[in-house]
Amino acid sequence: MLEKEINIAPSEGKLGVLIPGLGAVSTTFIAGVEAIKKGIAEPIGSLTQMGTIRLGKRTDHRVPKIRDFVPLANLEDLVFGGWDIYEDNCFEAASKAGVLDRSLLDAVRPEVEAIAPWKAVFDRTYVKKLDGTNVKVGKTKMDLAEQLMEDIDGFQRAHGLKRMVMIWCGSTEIFMKVQPVHETIESFERALAGNDPAIAPSMIYAYAALKKGIPFANGAPNLTVDVPALVALARERQVPLCGKDFKTGQTLLKTILAPGLKSRMLGLDGWFSTNILGNRDGEVLDDPDSFKTKEESKLSVLDQILQPQLYPQLYGNFYHKVRINYYPPRGDNKEGWDNIDIFGWLRAPMQIKIDFLCRDSILAAPLVLDLVLFMDLAQRCRMHGIQEWLSFYFKSPMCAAGLYPEHDLFIQLMKLKNTLRYLRGENLITHLGMEYYD
Ligand SMILES: NC(=O)c1ccc[n+]([C@@H]2O[C@H](COP(=O)([O-])OP(=O)(O)OC[C@H]3O[C@@H](n4cnc5c(N)ncnc54)[C@H](O)[C@@H]3O)[C@@H](O)[C@H]2O)c1
């Protein structure tokens, strides 16, 4: 029996993509979309563009592409705008980031060169390694939020946008914990007006987006929207939000491998992960306070997947270490090493070594695209608050208070696809499969 289909508003007109941070990830995303639109590149790594979804029984042979199954915005309808503390336009920033081939970048030059950053809301207290001049001035943090809302209004008017989505691709801010001013919308707004240090710049962007009814996704590990006040604001304004920290590179592999080891009941003595990278992200993470934010995000994954409390003999005592080393010659071409000490039958020790020569922004760009399209879909389905079905994309998925986040990539994918089936009134797939043998 089919479930009831949700009424999804059509994806008519232009979709504005608002991006705080025109750096390596976001320029690789924007230039990539422009190249795909021209038919000179392929959207590898994007579930919305390449993925399929099985519907019904295996014998039904119904496997449409996801983008044909749910009404997503077309790439032709995306319009990009963003903020940065540096004045470089998107072409200059992409050239400096050095991720994409020069020939590809030249092919999309007119489109990406036209995207110049608006002045940013920035404060070095929260990102110690950066210092730019393209920065707004305001008496209070509330003034700055209002200036961001004016940028958003101007962008909407200039391009005749029907809908917008904001995705944080800015640098990782210093480690912060939830504080009393983050508890309610009222205390948060008082803190904005009173320039409270507990309000980081990323929170000001998020506040501006939510106030305007714009979905917000957080690609960095910063606290940002993961505070009760902003979750409440999202519910009040009926806006979806999600985060935190794009799951790429080493953590992606960790959440692929760890569920496999656990499903075979193989034990773990230790997992040592180290990285060398030389991009601006690496430089920012060279500051211990920004690294702490990233470290917390990267460390949380294994405990949640392996559940040591349920399997004390296998996972009660493993040592987990994550290091990031800033090494300029590498640029965006990160190298991540993992040494994994596991044990099997009769506690015999074994080792796994991984050397992942990955391209951080190449792995992150398709996630930005998927998140933009799915967040817009969520908005048109009137889904609001935390979008746990998008955990698939994050290292530290946001979830309801009192719940633990789901980190296993395969459970996350099942959750995502079942959410899409649910939205279209299709039966959820449980993989029980008894009916094939009746
Ligand atoms: N590349 C990946 O695989 C990956 C994975 C997970 C998370 N991330 C996170 O995504 C973010 C972007 O990564 P990146 O490699 O593009 O970094 P980047 O340093 O190349 O770009 C970040 C940009 O944000 C700008 N910025 C900083 N603070 C800002 C502010 N308050 N307002 C506007 N702009 C601001 C910086 O000037 C910079 O241009 C980082 O936080 C990174 O940790 C990246």
Side-chain angles (χ1 to χ4, degrees):
M1 197 184 65
L2 288 189
E3 310 288 331
K4 194 171 163 298
E5 192 173 343
I6 306 281
N7 190 5
I8 308 177
S11 71
E12 286 162 356
K14 299 275 177 211
L15 173 65
V17 184
L18 295 157
I19 311 180
L22 287 181
V25 169
S26 55
T27 59
T28 305
F29 156 65
I30 295 170
V33 169
E34 295 300 342
I36 293 160
K37 277 161 58 178
K38 285 182 191 268
I40 55 172
E42 290 175 288
I44 313 284
S46 160
L47 193 66
T48 58
Q49 304 306 301
M50 307 204 89
T52 61
I53 182 161
R54 186 190 117 200
L55 305 174
K57 293 162 123 187
R58 268 180 275 166
T59 44
D60 292 349
H61 302 293
R62 293 167 65 213
V63 192
K65 280 202 161 173
I66 287 175
R67 66 167 193 222
D68 297 329
F69 176 58
V70 284
L72 300 174
N74 292 320
L75 300 193
E76 285 67 27
D77 290 328
L78 301 186
V79 181
F80 308 103
W83 296 265
D84 206 286
I85 67 168
Y86 301 110
E87 278 159 19
D88 293 338
N89 66 44
C90 191
F91 178 79
E92 291 160 342
S95 307
K96 285 186 188 164
V99 178
L100 296 173
D101 287 345
R102 189 68 207 202
S103 56
L104 185 131
L105 217 40
D106 282 339
V108 295
R109 183 168 185 161
E111 290 81 5
V112 295
E113 209 165 37
I115 304 165
W118 303 305
K119 280 187 192 303
V121 171
F122 182 73
D123 180 342
R124 282 196 82 190
T125 318
Y126 304 88
V127 182
K128 299 207 171 63
K129 292 273 177 179
L130 298 185
D131 195 8
T133 51
N134 195 38
V135 173
K136 292 189 193 305
V137 182
K139 268 229 280 299
T140 68
K141 294 184 178 182
M142 187 59 103
D143 288 345
L144 294 169
E146 281 159 9
Q147 291 182 40
L148 290 173
M149 291 188 236
E150 283 163 21
D151 292 341
I152 295 171
D153 288 341
F155 181 54
Q156 181 167 28
R157 275 195 305 273
H159 297 279
L161 304 171
K162 287 280 183 243
R163 308 174 313 283
M164 287 179 273
V165 167
M166 187 184 288
I167 183 158
W168 174 268
C169 293
S171 308
T172 301
E173 294 173 334
I174 56 170
F175 183 68
M176 286 172 70
K177 286 203 162 123
V178 178
Q179 297 174 41
V181 298
H182 300 137
E183 287 298 337
T184 65
I185 302 175
E186 296 70 35
S187 59
F188 189 93
E189 289 182 337
R190 268 198 306 277
L192 276 172
N195 279 334
D196 194 300
I199 308 291
S202 63
M203 292 176 174
I204 304 178
Y205 286 94
Y207 174 80
L210 299 179
K211 270 303 242 198
K212 296 210 70 69
I214 297 170
F216 184 92
N218 183 12
N222 325 318
L223 193 59
T224 315
V225 273
D226 203 0
V227 295
L230 293 179
V231 174
L233 184 59
R235 292 179 71 96
E236 187 189 281
R237 298 272 155 162
Q238 309 263 299
V239 196
L241 55 83
C242 65
K244 307 175 296 211
D245 206 6
F246 300 129
K247 178 149 89 175
T248 58
Q250 197 167 53
T251 310
L252 172 68
L253 287 193
K254 217 170 248 180
T255 61
I256 290 173
L257 210 51
L261 296 173
K262 183 179 148 199
S263 57
R264 286 281 189 224
M265 293 288 105
L266 295 169
L268 182 71
D269 275 328
W271 197 313
F272 177 66
S273 304
T274 188
N275 297 276
I276 53 173
L277 81 160
N279 57 13
R280 194 181 280 156
D281 187 30
E283 189 180 357
V284 167
L285 295 174
D286 214 28
D287 168 55
D289 290 335
S290 284
F291 175 66
K292 169 99 173 114
T293 313
K294 196 57 130 182
E295 188 184 30
E296 291 274 323
S297 175
K298 282 175 167 270
L299 283 178
S300 62
V301 167
L302 278 189
D303 261 356
Q304 296 291 355
I305 292 179
L306 298 176
Q307 298 175 300
Q309 70 286 6
L310 295 183
Y311 305 99
Q313 295 148 284
L314 299 174
Y315 309 118
N317 201 24
F318 67 85
Y319 190 87
H320 188 195
K321 187 97 198 158
V322 178
R323 286 249 173 274
I324 296 180
N325 304 286
Y326 178 53
Y327 178 59
R330 268 310 159 94
D332 199 64
N333 298 348
K334 184 165 91 174
E335 181 157 3
W337 286 281
D338 286 271
N339 172 79
I340 312 161
D341 288 289
I342 63 171
F343 54 89
W345 183 242
L346 314 178
R347 236 197 171 282
M350 295 174 267
Q351 287 189 356
I352 303 172
K353 311 268 181 192
I354 303 172
D355 184 3
F356 190 12
L357 293 132
C358 76
R359 311 271 307 273
D360 255 4
S361 305
I362 294 292
L363 293 170
L367 310 195
V368 181
L369 174 60
D370 285 1
L371 282 165
V372 165
L373 299 184
F374 280 146
M375 287 296 271
D376 171 53
L377 175 71
Q379 173 95 325
R380 284 182 286 111
C381 295
R382 287 171 299 287
M383 296 163 88
H384 53 265
I386 298 170
Q387 302 300 300
E388 210 204 9
W389 63 287
L390 297 174
S391 298
F392 179 67
Y393 294 104
F394 296 111
K395 283 196 198 73
S396 300
M398 286 176 67
C399 59
L403 271 187
Y404 62 82
E406 187 51 74
H407 283 290
D408 179 327
L409 188 80
F410 305 101
I411 296 178
Q412 292 172 333
L413 181 61
M414 213 185 302
K415 189 193 258 302
L416 187 156
K417 288 193 172 179
N418 269 337
T419 303
L420 299 180
R421 292 183 186 107
Y422 163 80
L423 292 176
R424 298 311 313 259
E426 288 284 341
N427 285 332
L428 307 189
I429 291 188
T430 62
H431 300 286
L432 180 63
M434 301 261 274
E435 68 275 21
Y436 301 117
Y437 300 91
D438 282 346

